[in-house]
């Protein structure tokens, strides 16, 4: 447990949570999921390439209605689903870069704040997703429910081992904590 100054306004308490990887598809990195589904590796997903459970969403994901889904459409669809899952009582600051100048796309975090006013600084819970440093993503954040109890929540992303050699993942998490403090 760390106590220090926080970008969320004054002193805050930093609690670190590290989770085991969630086996659900939504916890996998969107790019890795896209590549896994892109059987012919052409950078496009056709309806037949999608798993059976995802085919019913094909028309919704194919935003430009050109008959295939590109990585941008796939990522936007997943991100929009995350935004819809955020309660109205929570203010979300998504995709905040904690490395300046902007580093790797995975060196970002999401901050969730209760909208209810508070006279005291809010304690901050930091969610570090599981995945053995080689898989996973910062959203959806399972610690989001803590905002209902007055906590601020930060969900960290970090470079995976396919793009950065260990211990870079630890360095990314430490950089995010320094940025939050």
């Amino acid at each position: 447990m760390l106590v220090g100054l926080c970008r969320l306004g004054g002193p805050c308490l930093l609690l670190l949570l590290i989770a085991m990887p969630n086996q659900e598809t939504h916890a996998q990195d969107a790019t890795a999921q896209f590549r896994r589904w892109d059987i012919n590796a052409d950078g496009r997903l056709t309806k037949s390439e999608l798993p059976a459970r995802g085919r019913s969403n094909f028309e919704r994901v194919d935003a430009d209605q050109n008959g295939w889904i590109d990585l941008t459409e796939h990522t936007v669809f997943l991100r929009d689903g995350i935004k819809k899952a955020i309660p109205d009582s929570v203010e979300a600051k998504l995709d905040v870069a904690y490395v300046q100048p902007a580093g790797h796309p995975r060196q970002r975090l999401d901050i969730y704040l209760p909208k209810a006013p508070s006279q005291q600084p809010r304690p901050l819970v930091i969610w570090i997703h599981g995945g053995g440093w080689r898989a996973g993503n910062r959203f959806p954040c399972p610690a989001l429910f803590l905002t209902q109890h007055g906590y601020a929540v930060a969900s960290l992303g970090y470079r995976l081992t396919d793009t950065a050699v260990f211990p870079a993942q630890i360095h990314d998490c430490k950089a995010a904590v320094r940025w939050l403090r």
Side-chain angles (χ1 to χ4, degrees), residues 4-71:
L5 292 180
C6 176
R7 289 182 189 258
L8 302 178
C12 67
L13 174 68
L14 301 175
L15 302 172
L16 300 177
L17 297 176
I18 299 178
M20 296 305 295
N22 185 338
Q23 298 303 317
E24 297 295 321
T25 303
H26 66 267
Q28 298 300 317
D29 177 62
T31 303
Q33 182 184 64
F34 184 89
R35 289 182 183 146
R36 197 171 50 250
W37 290 350
D38 187 12
I39 296 167
N40 61 4
D42 64 354
R44 302 174 177 180
L45 294 178
T46 60
K47 194 170 190 174
S48 63
E49 288 177 300
L50 293 177
R53 69 182 185 281
R55 291 183 187 144
S56 62
N57 287 326
F58 184 83
E59 285 74 24
R60 290 182 18 205
V61 181
D62 183 16
D64 57 13
Q65 300 299 306
N66 60 2
W68 48 271
I69 299 168
D70 61 26
L71 180 58

Side-chain angles (χ1 to χ4, degrees), residues 27 79 94-96 105-110 112 127 129 136-142 155-157:
R79 176 51 86 180
L94 305 175
D95 293 323
V96 179
R106 293 192 57 93
Q107 291 173 312
R108 296 182 172 274
L109 54 84
D110 298 330
Y112 304 97
W127 174 260
H129 69 81
N137 209 320
R138 68 182 186 272
F139 53 84
C141 178
S155 183
L156 307 185

